Amino acid sequence: MAYHWQSTNVKHSGVDDMVLLPKIQESAIVDNLRKRYMDDWIFTYIGPVLISVNPFKQLSYFTEKEIEIYQGAAQYENPPHVYALADNMYRNMLIDRESQCVIISGESGAGKTVQAKYIMHFLAKVSGGGVRVQHVKDIILESNPLLEAFGNAKTVRNNNSSRFGKYVEIQFSKGGEPVGGKVSNFLLEKSRVVGQNANERNFHAFYQLIAGVPSQLKETLGITTADYYYYLNQSGSYKVEGIDDKADFTETMKAMDVMEMTDEDKMSVLQITASILHLGNISFTEKGNYAAVENDDYLDFPAFLLGVTPQDIKTKLTSRVLDSKWGGRSEVIDVTLNTEQAAYTRDALAKALYSRLFDYLVEVVNKALKEERTGLSTGILDIYGFEIFQKNGFEQFCINYVNEKLQQIFIELTLKAEQEEYVQEGIKWTPIDYFNNKIVCELIETKSPPGIMCVLDDVCATLHAVTEGADDTLLQKLSGAVGQHQHYQGGGTGFVIHHYAGKVSYECEGFCERNRDVLFNDIVQLMQSSENPFIVSLFPENVKQQTRGRPTTASCKIKHQANVLVETLMKCTPHYIRCIKPNETKQAHDWEENRVKHQVEYLGLKENIRVRRAGFAYRRPFAKFLNRYAIVTPETWPTWRGEPRQGIDHIMASVSMDRDQYQLGKSKVFIKAPESLFLLEEVRDRKFDGYARAIQKAFRQYIAKKHMFRLKEQAADLLTNKKQRRRHSLNRNFVGDYIGLEDKPQLRALVGKRERIEFADTVHKYDRRFKAAKRDMLLTAKYLYLVGREVIKKGPEKGQVREIIKRQIPVDSIKQVSMR
């Protein structure tokens, strides 16, 4: 069978693996990606790393047929595809008994979330069955629409942008069946709840609620058009091309059913979502330098939906109770807020409700998955992409920091660690230069000397009720602490960081306020007084308990989460998908050369190609290598008891591998080209296939004999006291294969991958002139195949005879068979 790259009738667009590029230059990489993109080939390899270019349209090669093609196939057998990476990850987990993970990176709008969905879909299809297993698969797949509804939104760069980070860990049994899992979420962009940039939307859940909720429930929840709500009408964007909010609402509710949420809990989720919209319509006016609710009518719906009184909401939004300690005595003071403080308190309540509701939904998914610690898992990291907007704030700072950490993992494991390993193992190697972004991560997160986050936390710790001037103080302190750093640049009302993906200018306005992330006790107490137990459960704090030390800030949380994530990923065998966004128009076949070139540069693809070309595609400890390939030679099978290097040399000599194709280090074997590894795998598969065929043959012979004896007994019973037959007329074995398919793999290859041939024989087919033509007849459970021969008239194989399927008849359509 010819592989895709050997076919003469398939159009080739550039090279599948950019390690094979004749010139290693950014321009050559971009040109290769452009050729493939224009011909709708969005995937390209750099060795084991998959490059994906967002096509901005639905492509035809993500069907069940492709899943079948890529399952169990070697990487070189088919064109580059995310299914090939997913299959490689799944098989490596089962073969090496090691947990795997895939890190999907790229800027916002590059297609990361879609690739994560394809991987989940593939793993769900190829893994085992059973009622419990199917239930776990359903939860894994249905968690996507649920978390996307409440965690994704339209931005100026992406119509379905993830505004949170998600690490999905799927746990497998030793047999490869999904038995549980866990979803970890990172830094939901809750500031989006209360405000969005022009031409952006709030989270999808709000628009789904407005479009999809039944009319009777609309009255209960007070739902009307989107432009009525202040939290939705600031940006002026309500509809998104390619998104059907009404259909998505149905999908979200279905997902809640799969998670086994009760009707009461589902109703509570809708009530809280609606109450947030109504909270935003409460506005304030100034009366005697203090805030007052402008229209009390807007208090009724949020109070009803949250299970509190309108007066309580009014009081808590316009005043605050403070504990004052002086001279050993404490005093409770009721402070009335101004309009700015009242609006801040309203927004803080809305953000707290939404973020805690989102955490609850993640918890619901995890409870449904029922985490099982089996030791084998596959992790899929889908996290917000690198962002550079016209105005970048605290959220973009945190998002870009996490992306710096992920880039650091990629550098550590694919560029730095790989080169260091060659030196440690004594492999001949010429070092390759690359930019290590560790210096940027240290600028942001280190404590000594203090980095940006440390300085930010110090400024926030000195703030009390007053936030005026805090951002200016932050700029001054940053100038003193990191002003001389080569990747930091101060000036004006913000600062610039030289990230791995380019320079990003951050506006300091609101940095301190958003980093403090304070929810005052008055608001917590208000929610704890709700008549709805569901809402009370979202606010479990003990407000009476005195807390010592600094309160946890948003930057402290994201730093901790990022470091925990890095630790988790470093425990797994990583796989990488580098996503590229080809344009800003979100249109298919639109290619912006400079934009793609910039992404190729900062993703380090050129350095990756150079390391991969000069390095080794495969490396394994001696013991693991011998354990896997011992079957290849009689000397090493079943166990090699001699010196490991001699055993490996036996294996390499048996497959005639050239000495320059592999090197033996101090403890590992290094194989240079993927083709050499595929050769080993192919020989190993043949050995196993030969043993499996011998076992099958013996077992089938045993079953056939048992069946024959049973038939003889039945025949003998039929003929008892009847006319006697010739002695040997009942002693004929049914073979089934009268062609010898074992010696004709080309015939077997014409049949479906999972179809078993029940009967095979050579027959004569007669045409209208009663002219006979030989055909090989193959019968499976699905089809009856008639195989003929034809002479190839063109191409390098001209003159050769090949087998082709002349007719493929579904068994179900055969009405009658007659014997002549």
Side-chain angles (χ1 to χ4, degrees):
M1 183 183 74
Y3 298 123
H4 73 285
W5 41 270
Q6 296 171 319
S7 303
T8 56
N9 59 343
V10 175
K11 181 180 179 181
H12 292 278
S13 305
V15 296
D16 288 350
D17 192 332
M18 290 195 286
V19 172
L20 304 175
L21 283 174
K23 292 183 180 179
I24 311 176
Q25 298 171 344
E26 264 100 4
S27 57
I29 297 169
V30 172
D31 186 56
N32 188 68
L33 292 173
R34 181 187 59 78
K35 287 177 183 175
R36 295 179 62 77
Y37 174 75
M38 290 303 180
D39 289 334
D40 287 336
W41 294 107
I42 65 169
F43 296 116
T44 311
Y45 291 129
I46 298 178
V49 178
L50 183 67
I51 312 300
S52 170
V53 183
N54 193 341
F56 291 110
K57 67 175 183 178
Q58 190 63 45
L59 296 173
S60 60
Y61 44 81
F62 294 97
T63 64
E64 302 294 318
K65 177 186 173 185
E66 277 71 35
I67 290 177
E68 186 175 319
I69 289 171
Y70 283 91
Q71 184 184 356
Q75 182 175 303
Y76 69 93
E77 289 185 33
N78 299 299
H81 203 292
V82 68
Y83 288 165
L85 180 138
D87 183 69
N88 187 32
M89 189 165 62
Y90 179 66
R91 282 190 295 143
N92 284 356
M93 178 190 71
L94 296 178
I95 292 167
D96 297 332
R97 296 293 169 191
E98 293 176 355
S99 292
Q100 312 284 309
C101 70
V102 57
I103 301 172
I104 309 172
S105 56
E107 64 181 57
S108 181
K112 298 180 297 300
T113 300
V114 175
Q115 299 308 323
K117 286 183 190 174
Y118 285 140
I119 292 172
M120 288 188 205
H121 181 65
F122 182 88
L123 292 175
K125 283 289 180 185
V126 302
S127 49
V131 177
R132 165 65 187 153
V133 170
Q134 189 57 46
H135 181 60
V136 172
K137 290 180 182 180
D138 291 341
I139 294 166
I140 291 166
L141 296 177
E142 289 297 332
S143 67
N144 283 321
L146 178 61
L147 297 182
E148 277 189 22
F150 287 86
N152 286 28
K154 175 193 182 296
T155 67
V156 291
R157 306 191 70 187
N158 185 0
N159 288 346
N160 188 34
S161 177
S162 298
R163 308 316 298 165
F164 73 108
K166 178 175 66 174
Y167 184 64
V168 180
E169 195 176 1
I170 306 170
Q171 283 131 7
F172 292 88
S173 67
K174 290 181 179 179
E177 297 173 336
V179 292
K182 182 183 177 184
V183 177
S184 303
N185 63 302
F186 309 93
L187 191 71
L188 178 73
E189 188 194 19
K190 56 187 178 182
S191 62
R192 180 168 293 273
V193 174
V194 300
Q196 310 87 42
N197 295 326
N199 296 318
E200 294 192 349
R201 290 209 313 178
N202 210 319
F203 291 101
H204 294 325
F206 295 114
Y207 306 92
Q208 290 181 14
L209 183 75
I210 291 169
V213 78
S215 54
Q216 186 176 353
L217 197 54
K218 276 189 177 182
E219 292 183 19
T220 307
L221 300 176
I223 297 300
T224 179
T225 56
D227 57 1
Y228 171 75
Y229 302 103
Y230 175 69
Y231 282 162
L232 303 185
N233 63 24
Q234 298 172 62
S235 66
S237 179
Y238 305 109
K239 298 285 183 183
V240 180
E241 185 181 349
I243 292 181
D244 185 343
D245 292 315
K246 187 172 183 178
D248 289 346
F249 177 79
T250 305
E251 192 68 26
T252 301
M253 298 307 290
K254 178 192 167 189
M256 290 185 187
D257 289 332
V258 173
M259 303 304 150
E260 299 177 350
M261 289 177 64
T262 64
D263 291 340
E264 292 78 10
D265 287 347
K266 286 190 287 185
M267 185 61 191
S268 294
V269 170
L270 298 181
Q271 280 182 297
I272 293 172
T273 309
S275 71
I276 292 168
L277 293 177
H278 290 293
L279 273 174
N281 284 357
I282 300 173
S283 57
F284 305 95
T285 186
E286 195 171 316
K287 284 189 179 178
N289 293 329
Y290 297 119
V293 174
E294 192 168 0
N295 188 341
D296 286 357
D297 291 342
Y298 287 113
L299 296 168
D300 294 336
F301 252 116
F304 164 69
L305 295 171
L306 293 172
V308 295
T309 65
Q311 185 57 43
D312 283 344
I313 289 186
K314 183 177 182 179
T315 303
K316 297 299 182 183
L317 293 185
T318 55
S319 63
R320 187 179 306 153
V321 175
L322 297 177
D323 288 333
S324 175
K325 293 183 178 180
W326 181 75
R329 292 181 295 179
S330 67
E331 184 180 357
V332 177
I333 303 172
D334 197 353
V335 178
T336 308
L337 307 178
N338 59 32
T339 53
E340 185 181 336
Q341 291 169 330
Y344 174 85
T345 305
R346 174 203 64 197
D347 292 346
L349 173 57
K351 290 187 287 186
L353 279 168
Y354 196 83
S355 64
R356 293 179 186 222
L357 177 62
F358 187 78
D359 289 340
Y360 161 78
L361 292 172
V362 172
E363 189 181 331
V364 163
V365 173
N366 286 333
K367 280 183 178 176
L369 281 172
K370 295 175 184 173
E371 181 182 6
E372 301 275 349
R373 280 292 161 200
T374 59
L376 289 180
S377 67
T378 295
I380 303 163
L381 179 64
D382 174 22
I383 206 157
Y384 20 59
F386 198 92
E387 292 187 342
I388 307 176
F389 294 137
Q390 287 291 328
K391 184 178 179 182
N392 302 288
F394 179 72
E395 286 75 20
Q396 279 68 48
F397 173 74
C398 292
I399 286 169
N400 293 344
Y401 160 68
V402 174
N403 277 274
E404 284 285 357
K405 296 289 283 186
L406 295 180
Q407 175 70 1
Q408 192 181 359
I409 291 178
F410 183 78
I411 288 170
E412 285 284 336
L413 297 181
T414 62
L415 301 176
K416 183 172 180 284
E418 185 164 338
Q419 297 194 71
E420 287 176 353
E421 186 178 36
Y422 296 147
V423 175
Q424 290 167 4
E425 289 285 328
I427 301 297
K428 294 177 183 177
W429 179 254
T430 304
I432 291 171
D433 293 330
Y434 59 91
F435 169 65
N436 191 339
N437 74 325
K438 185 178 180 182
I439 190 172
V440 183
C441 294
E442 289 174 347
L443 164 67
I444 296 171
E445 68 179 5
T446 53
K447 288 187 176 180
S448 180
I452 294 173
M453 284 184 170
C454 189
V455 173
L456 178 59
D457 286 348
D458 281 341
V459 172
C460 291
T462 61
L463 298 178
H464 297 288
V466 181
T467 58
E468 291 83 358
D471 296 328
D472 294 333
T473 305
L474 171 64
L475 275 176
Q476 291 171 9
K477 290 200 171 186
L478 284 176
S479 180
V482 296
Q484 301 304 312
H485 197 284
Q486 59 182 344
H487 288 273
Y488 176 88
Q489 184 181 334
T493 58
F495 58 89
V496 175
I497 295 179
H498 296 233
H499 287 284
Y500 77 93
K503 295 180 182 179
V504 182
S505 178
Y506 297 101
E507 285 292 324
C508 255
E509 183 185 352
F511 251 68
C512 294
E513 192 174 280
R514 287 174 178 171
N515 185 51
R516 286 178 73 198
D517 198 26
V518 176
L519 184 65
F520 294 107
N521 287 344
D522 303 63
I523 299 299
V524 175
Q525 289 171 337
L526 173 65
M527 293 297 97
Q528 289 177 344
S529 68
S530 171
E531 294 175 356
N532 187 338
F534 183 92
I535 293 174
V536 175
S537 69
L538 297 180
F539 293 84
E541 295 97 324
N542 184 357
V543 293
K544 295 179 181 178
Q545 186 178 350
Q546 293 289 330
T547 56
R548 295 186 177 183
R550 291 185 180 182
T552 306
T553 59
S555 64
C556 186
K557 287 176 188 173
I558 192 61
K559 183 164 69 172
H560 173 72
Q561 288 179 331
N563 287 325
V564 169
L565 175 63
V566 168
E567 285 177 20
T568 304
L569 295 174
M570 295 293 266
K571 291 175 185 175
C572 304
T573 302
H575 304 258
Y576 305 95
I577 301 178
R578 311 290 265 172
C579 296
I580 289 176
K581 186 177 183 182
N583 61 63
E584 280 291 351
T585 61
K586 305 172 192 172
Q587 299 294 319
H589 291 170
D590 185 7
W591 185 264
E592 296 177 16
E593 191 88 3
N594 291 334
R595 157 170 283 284
V596 177
K597 186 178 180 182
H598 178 61
Q599 292 172 77
V600 166
E601 287 173 357
Y602 75 65
L603 288 173
L605 300 191
K606 184 176 77 171
E607 291 79 8
N608 195 196
I609 293 171
R610 290 177 64 198
V611 170
R612 180 52 54 181
R613 180 181 281 191
F616 296 83
Y618 174 89
R619 78 280 326 264
R620 275 291 183 279
F622 291 155
K624 280 193 175 182
F625 183 86
L626 284 167
N627 182 54
R628 179 155 182 78
Y629 298 109
I631 195 172
V632 170
T633 67
E635 292 88 351
T636 55
W637 180 255
T639 305
W640 173 255
R641 302 193 182 279
E643 210 275 321
R645 291 168 181 271
Q646 292 177 3
I648 293 170
D649 284 332
H650 271 302
I651 292 170
M652 297 306 193
S654 72
V655 296
S656 304
M657 188 180 294
D658 294 336
R659 197 64 180 82
D660 62 353
Q661 284 300 306
Y662 72 97
Q663 286 192 45
L664 299 180
K666 295 175 182 176
S667 63
K668 293 181 180 179
V669 56
F670 294 80
I671 297 177
K672 194 166 188 65
E675 292 79 5
S676 302
L677 176 64
F678 297 148
L679 173 64
L680 275 170
E681 285 290 330
E682 199 168 316
V683 173
R684 178 180 179 271
D685 287 345
R686 280 185 200 159
K687 289 284 184 180
F688 273 112
D689 187 62
Y691 288 135
R693 285 175 184 273
I695 294 168
Q696 285 177 344
K697 191 173 182 179
F699 183 73
R700 284 173 179 163
Q701 194 174 22
Y702 167 73
I703 293 295
K705 281 183 178 178
K706 281 186 70 175
H707 183 60
M708 182 188 69
F709 287 132
R710 204 177 301 119
L711 289 177
K712 278 185 175 181
E713 287 175 3
Q714 292 173 3
D717 291 341
L718 285 171
L719 299 174
T720 303
N721 300 324
K722 302 281 178 68
K723 180 181 176 181
Q724 295 298 306
R725 307 282 299 192
R726 281 198 298 262
R727 187 171 58 175
H728 298 292
S729 65
L730 299 175
N731 191 20
R732 292 199 196 115
N733 292 333
F734 173 70
V735 178
D737 177 12
Y738 294 98
I739 293 178
L741 290 171
E742 285 189 8
D743 301 322
K744 297 181 179 178
Q746 68 274 20
L747 280 178
R748 185 67 187 81
L750 295 172
V751 180
K753 201 170 185 180
R754 293 185 177 80
E755 286 188 72
R756 177 182 169 187
I757 299 175
E758 307 288 350
F759 180 83
D761 197 3
T762 301
V763 297
H764 287 90
K765 180 251 181 189
Y766 295 92
D767 60 15
R768 293 177 182 176
R769 298 177 182 176
F770 212 67
K771 184 179 179 182
K774 276 191 176 183
R775 297 283 186 265
D776 289 331
M777 185 176 76
L778 308 177
L779 178 65
T780 70
K782 292 183 180 179
Y783 298 102
L784 176 70
Y785 297 90
L786 291 178
V787 180
R789 272 91 181 153
E790 70 173 17
V791 178
I792 300 173
K793 296 179 180 178
K794 293 182 180 179
E797 298 175 356
K798 183 179 178 181
Q800 295 183 22
V801 178
R802 67 179 175 189
E803 291 77 10
I804 61 166
I805 296 174
K806 292 289 188 179
R807 291 199 67 184
Q808 182 178 353
I809 307 168
V811 172
D812 295 343
S813 67
I814 299 175
K815 304 296 182 186
Q816 182 179 342
V817 177
S818 61
M819 304 294 289
R820 293 179 185 267

